[in-house]
Amino acid sequence: MNQNKLFRLTRLRLASWYALVMALILGLCGFGVYQAISHAHWVTLDRELESVAGTLHDSIELKLQQPGRLEPILKQLLPNICVVGDKCIQEQLTFKRHTESAISQGYYYVRIFDNSGRLFAIAGSYPKGLSPLFNKKLWQTLKDDKGNLYHQISFVLHTQDNRDWGYIQVGRSLEDFSNYLNAVKLILALGLPTAMGLVGVASWWLAGLAMQPIYQSYKQIQQFTADVAHELRTPLAATRATVESALMMPQLDETEARDILQTVERQNLRLTTLVADLLLLSRLDRQSMPVRHELCCLNEIVSDLIEEFAAMASKAKVSLASLIRVHQPVNIVGNSEQLYRLIFNLIVNAIQYTPVGGEVIVVLDRNDQNAVISVQDTGIGIPQQEFSRIFDRFYRVNSDRSRSTGGSGLGLAIAQAIVQTHYGSLTVQSELGKGSTFTVRLPLDVTALNGVRSIHQFKGLY
């Protein structure tokens, strides 16, 4: 397929579009995943911060007595608290000493403002460079002078007797949050090209897989066209040569004219038969065309064909006989003309490929599900490697012999197509030099004929 420029470009175009669409889908999915992860972490972060801040707020409020004054007991809650203006030393606190304080986690800081909004005290891992001005917004996201982000929440503080004391802000660094999102971005940034590479390879393979039946059909059409052209060219060339030779003669007597007309008639008959076979195959291929079904007696069809081919078999010095293994008539619902043509083609094929002194036997039998028709001959046989091709159009096992007998190579192809339209099967068994047996199985059950009709539709036929 890759040797054909048209299919190679089509495959490349199909794979490119598939990869492009998948890139868009994966990109949107990646963006959605990132947004979902970011939103989930923001929600978790807000809940965590709100929980820590609420706990500190409630604990501090229980200890406040006078506005503008921090009670000494607050140092038990916030051991590293420092009043603004005092000389504060940031201790390196051990974890064991402050396990009860969420501030000891290292990401949190606390800012306490008085009623006027002046920064009064700080605690925890207080970042440098944050604005000392109070903002009454409940939630804020701030940035220090180094560009680090912080998220904080504000609450109003009251004394024990419910007087306004000031405000408390509890915040935390977003460094771990940013690092996590950066890791997610990196994974997506590296994963998307990798996924696209795999999608590209898969797209190329899937495009080839999807186009394989199309390519096979294309090759069959090419071969079919070439075969048709070849089959038509031979009788046309013979007719033209005959006519040209006749025109070159100064005069023709009656015998010569009759011979020329007979030659033209034979070639015309060959062309007519070929065109009729091609039209029949075309009709059989179009399953959507309505086909008239009726009750067909296979016993009568076989008997009529044996009688019809008696002269042909006698001329070829081949014994032709039938063997009916059933005592009752074998009736199926189908197209009588097509079934006639099916058995006709198999008998013609058997007689043509059976040498002088051989025999052809047509056997009719049935089982619980199928009517069985076998055409047995003692002919030249079919090589094992040819079994897969004998039902191809214009294919001949022995082209020289077939041409001498007038065959076009469409007989078995037509037989196969007719069997398929009747939901049956056609198989072959053969041994080279000993003969062949073509076996047709046609369903007796009316509902199996088209898969959807009920047997009640055909009650009138019985």
Side-chain angles (χ1 to χ4, degrees):
M1 182 165 63
N2 288 330
Q3 285 72 30
N4 188 293
K5 183 178 180 180
L6 173 63
F7 278 87
R8 185 173 65 252
L9 292 177
T10 303
R11 183 181 183 183
L12 179 61
R13 190 179 298 113
L14 182 61
S16 300
W17 275 108
Y18 182 79
L20 182 62
V21 171
M22 286 302 300
L24 180 61
I25 294 174
L26 289 176
L28 291 175
C29 289
F31 179 77
V33 168
Y34 176 80
Q35 291 297 323
I37 292 175
S38 176
H39 176 74
H41 276 72
W42 268 112
V43 171
T44 303
L45 181 67
D46 286 349
R47 290 177 179 174
E48 177 188 315
L49 186 57
E50 187 175 13
S51 175
V52 172
T55 302
L56 284 174
H57 171 268
D58 295 344
S59 300
I60 290 174
E61 274 195 336
L62 293 175
K63 306 295 188 292
L64 295 177
Q65 297 180 2
Q66 295 291 332
R69 176 187 170 188
L70 286 177
E71 306 300 329
I73 196 173
L74 290 179
K75 288 190 176 182
Q76 295 180 9
L77 294 174
L78 301 171
N80 61 346
I81 189 172
C82 176
V83 177
V84 175
D86 293 348
K87 186 177 180 180
C88 301
I89 299 176
Q90 295 291 333
E91 301 181 22
Q92 295 297 326
L93 303 175
T94 62
F95 180 77
K96 289 183 179 179
R97 181 180 173 188
H98 305 291
T99 53
E100 74 277 8
S101 175
I103 307 303
S104 64
Q105 296 180 14
Y107 291 109
Y108 287 89
Y109 65 88
V110 178
R111 298 200 295 179
I112 299 177
F113 297 82
D114 59 19
N115 279 324
S116 63
R118 182 178 60 87
L119 185 61
F120 190 86
I122 58 175
S125 301
Y126 184 71
K128 297 179 180 180
L130 288 185
S131 173
L133 300 177
F134 177 70
N135 191 320
K136 291 186 178 182
K137 288 182 178 180
L138 179 63
W139 291 100
Q140 297 176 70
T141 301
L142 309 174
K143 184 182 293 187
D144 65 9
D145 52 2
K146 294 182 180 180
N148 298 318
L149 292 175
Y150 297 86
H151 197 51
Q152 70 180 24
I153 186 172
S154 303
F155 291 110
V156 178
L157 285 174
H158 300 88
T159 62
Q160 293 178 354
D161 54 0
N162 204 28
R163 287 180 294 169
D164 290 341
W165 193 99
Y167 307 91
I168 181 174
Q169 288 182 340
V170 181
R172 64 158 291 168
S173 169
L174 296 181
E175 181 182 359
D176 58 334
F177 177 70
S178 299
N179 290 339
Y180 181 81
L181 289 185
N182 289 335
V184 173
K185 288 180 183 178
L186 181 62
I187 292 174
L188 292 176
L190 295 178
L192 184 59
T194 303
M196 285 312 306
L198 296 175
V199 167
V201 174
S203 300
W204 180 258
W205 178 72
L206 288 174
L209 195 65
M211 293 182 62
Q212 195 64 35
I214 302 175
Y215 182 67
Q216 293 297 330
S217 298
Y218 173 77
K219 287 179 62 178
Q220 290 176 358
I221 290 173
Q222 275 191 323
Q223 183 64 41
F224 180 73
T225 304
D227 290 339
V228 169
H230 178 74
E231 293 294 334
L232 292 175
R233 185 171 60 245
T234 302
L236 288 175
T239 302
R240 180 178 179 180
T242 302
V243 173
E244 287 179 350
S245 63
L247 292 175
M248 293 176 61
M249 295 180 181
Q251 62 180 16
L252 294 174
D253 58 27
E254 182 179 349
T255 302
E256 290 174 336
R258 185 175 295 276
D259 291 340
I260 291 172
L261 290 175
Q262 288 176 347
T263 301
V264 172
E265 182 186 21
R266 284 196 306 271
Q267 299 302 330
N268 181 69
L269 179 61
R270 184 175 179 182
L271 282 173
T272 303
T273 302
L274 178 60
V275 171
D277 288 346
L278 291 174
L279 289 174
L280 175 59
L281 279 173
S282 177
R283 288 196 298 270
L284 293 173
D285 287 341
R286 295 198 299 271
Q287 297 294 334
S288 59
M289 292 187 64
V291 178
R292 182 175 60 86
H293 293 293
E294 58 189 358
L295 188 63
C296 304
C297 180
L298 296 181
N299 306 61
E300 295 179 359
I301 294 177
V302 170
S303 299
D304 291 345
L305 286 170
I306 293 297
E307 184 178 347
E308 180 178 341
F309 280 106
M312 178 180 178
S314 177
K315 183 178 180 180
K317 297 182 180 179
V318 172
S319 172
L320 176 63
S322 63
L323 178 58
I324 310 298
R325 292 177 176 173
V326 288
H327 303 293
Q328 301 265 341
V330 181
N331 297 320
I332 68 168
V333 174
N335 185 284
S336 59
E337 295 180 2
Q338 292 182 5
L339 293 174
Y340 187 90
R341 181 64 183 273
L342 163 65
I343 305 173
F344 178 96
N345 285 4
L346 294 179
I347 295 176
V348 169
N349 187 73
I351 293 176
Q352 290 179 346
Y353 285 92
T354 299
V356 175
E359 64 176 356
V360 175
I361 300 177
V362 181
V363 180
L364 177 61
D365 201 353
R366 62 171 294 170
N367 52 36
D368 292 338
Q369 291 84 26
N370 301 305
V372 182
I373 305 168
S374 298
V375 180
Q376 306 170 0
D377 65 65
T378 57
I380 61 176
I382 303 170
Q384 190 74 28
Q385 64 272 16
E386 306 289 345
F387 278 16
S388 61
R389 302 184 60 192
I390 58 174
F391 296 108
D392 292 348
R393 298 173 185 184
F394 296 109
Y395 183 75
R396 305 178 181 88
V397 177
N398 187 333
S399 59
D400 292 338
R401 177 175 175 84
S402 181
R403 290 186 188 279
S404 66
T405 54
S408 63
L410 292 175
L412 292 180
I414 292 174
Q416 176 80 308
I418 293 174
V419 169
Q420 290 174 352
T421 60
H422 285 76
Y423 299 89
S425 65
L426 174 58
T427 58
V428 59
Q429 293 179 337
S430 182
E431 188 175 350
L432 193 62
K434 293 187 177 181
S436 306
T437 299
F438 286 85
T439 302
V440 177
R441 290 178 175 83
L442 299 173
L444 291 170
D445 187 3
V446 179
T447 57
L449 186 62
N450 55 15
V452 295
R453 293 184 182 178
S454 169
I455 192 171
H456 300 293
Q457 293 177 273
F458 298 96
K459 282 185 176 180
L461 299 176
Y462 293 88

